[in-house]
Amino acid sequence: MHLFEQVMRPMLSTRQLHVLTDRVPKADAVEFRYWVGRYKLNLGNIQQARDLLQLAFNDCSNRSKNKRTILIYLTAASIGCGLAPRPALLSAFNLHAQFGPLIEHIKYGNGAAFERHMNAWMPWFAKFELVLILKEKVTFMIWRTILRRVALITDPVNLRADRDVQISLKLVADALKIGYQDDSYDVDDAQMIVLCVIDQGYARGGVRHVAAMVTKLHIPPPSALTKLAAKPHSHELYHID
C-alpha cells in the first residue's frame, strides 16, 4: 500500500480518477477503483472510499471472484457512513455471519455484543486488515445510536423533527453502562464520548459543564450522514438506524 501511494499520489484527485477510468477497459477501471478505494479507506476518507468501492462493485462482473472482495471493503466503508448492505446481498456472498451482527449491534447500541463479535471474528477481519477501521467506525456509530436513543426518550419531538435536542450526561452514562454491560461509565466518560461523536461529524452541538447537560445537540438521521455519489441499486443498501 505504501508503494501504491508513492506511485499513484499524483493521480489521486477526483477529476483525474474519472479521466483515467474513462479511458481504460472496464475490468482495469474496476481494479483501479478498488485499490484507490482501499487506499482512501486506510487514510480514513470513508466517503471517498465508499464511492470508489461502490463504483468498482457495480461494474465488476458477477462472474468475477473479486466481487466478493470488493464487497468486503465496501461494507466496511459503508458502515462508517451509516449504510449497510441488505442481508440478502451479504448472504449471497457468504458474508452475513461476519457483518450482519455488526450492523445489528450498531442499530441497538450494543457495544458489549460488538466487542464479543469482533473478538470471535478477529482472525478473519485481520486477514483483510479491517480490525482497526471497524473498531473505530463501528464504535462511533454505536455511540451515536446510544445518544439518539437517549434523545428519543427525553426529547422525542425535537429528535423526530430533526431539531436540536437537550440530554443529560447522567442519562448518557447510564445508557453506556447498559450498552457495554459495564458499570464503570460515569459523567466524565459520557462527556468525552459526546465530544468524540461531535468531533467525528456524527453530531453537532456542545456540552454545558455546570449543569452536566448536552445542550443544542443535533443528531442527524442516518440518511444525512452520507451523500451517495455512486448510486447503489435500491435493493442493495439501507440506512442503519
Side-chain angles (χ1 to χ4, degrees):
M1 194 62 73
H2 293 298
L3 178 61
F4 175 86
E5 178 180 0
Q6 293 173 10
V7 173
M8 301 307 300
R9 182 184 290 273
M11 298 184 291
L12 291 181
S13 73
T14 301
R15 182 175 178 276
Q16 288 168 322
L17 283 174
H18 286 301
V19 171
L20 283 169
T21 51
D22 286 344
R23 294 178 177 176
V24 299
K26 181 177 285 189
D28 293 337
V30 167
E31 184 175 3
F32 184 76
R33 285 169 173 152
Y34 163 73
W35 282 110
V36 178
R38 282 196 59 185
Y39 169 71
K40 296 289 188 179
L41 186 61
N42 284 348
L43 288 183
N45 296 335
I46 302 298
Q47 179 69 64
Q48 293 179 8
R50 204 212 70 80
D51 289 340
L52 287 163
L53 291 165
Q54 183 70 63
L55 286 169
F57 182 79
N58 289 350
D59 289 343
C60 185
S61 169
N62 290 331
R63 297 188 298 272
S64 173
K65 294 184 293 185
N66 295 328
K67 199 171 182 79
R68 181 177 186 269
T69 302
I70 296 171
L71 181 59
I72 289 170
Y73 293 100
L74 173 60
T75 302
S78 295
I79 285 173
C81 296
L83 291 165
R86 295 193 179 278
L89 181 63
L90 291 175
S91 296
F93 287 88
N94 196 27
L95 292 172
H96 191 268
Q98 297 91 324
F99 288 107
L102 290 185
I103 296 164
E104 289 299 304
H105 302 330
I106 292 172
K107 287 171 63 177
Y108 296 106
N110 195 334
F114 159 64
E115 291 175 350
R116 290 194 297 269
H117 181 79
M118 284 298 296
N119 289 335
W121 284 92
M122 188 73 69
W124 190 89
F125 287 120
K127 174 184 175 183
F128 295 96
E129 301 179 344
L130 288 175
V131 174
L132 294 180
I133 293 169
L134 286 174
K135 280 197 169 184
E136 176 188 354
K137 297 305 177 183
V138 174
T139 295
F140 283 126
M141 291 297 295
I142 287 174
W143 289 349
R144 173 194 164 280
T145 297
I146 289 173
L147 292 181
R148 278 187 65 86
R149 286 183 172 269
V150 171
L152 190 61
I153 295 171
T154 61
D155 200 354
V157 174
N158 283 325
L159 182 70
R160 292 191 176 111
D162 195 24
R163 295 193 293 260
D164 292 348
V165 298
Q166 181 168 294
I167 57 178
S168 163
L169 289 176
K170 172 65 167 57
L171 292 179
V172 175
D174 290 341
L176 288 165
K177 291 176 184 178
I178 296 171
Y180 283 90
Q181 298 176 15
D182 183 350
D183 290 337
S184 68
Y185 281 96
D186 58 20
V187 170
D188 290 336
D189 295 320
Q191 176 176 307
M192 180 275 294
I193 285 170
V194 170
L195 293 175
C196 285
V197 171
I198 293 171
D199 179 68
Q200 290 297 311
Y202 291 105
R204 299 190 301 273
V207 177
R208 190 169 63 197
H209 297 275
V210 176
M213 294 290 291
V214 183
T215 183
K216 292 184 178 179
L217 181 68
H218 181 236
I219 315 169
S223 57
L225 293 179
T226 184
K227 296 178 180 178
L228 299 181
K231 295 292 185 182
H233 298 299
S234 61
H235 66 281
E236 287 183 348
L237 294 176
Y238 67 95
H239 293 285
I240 304 172
D241 198 9

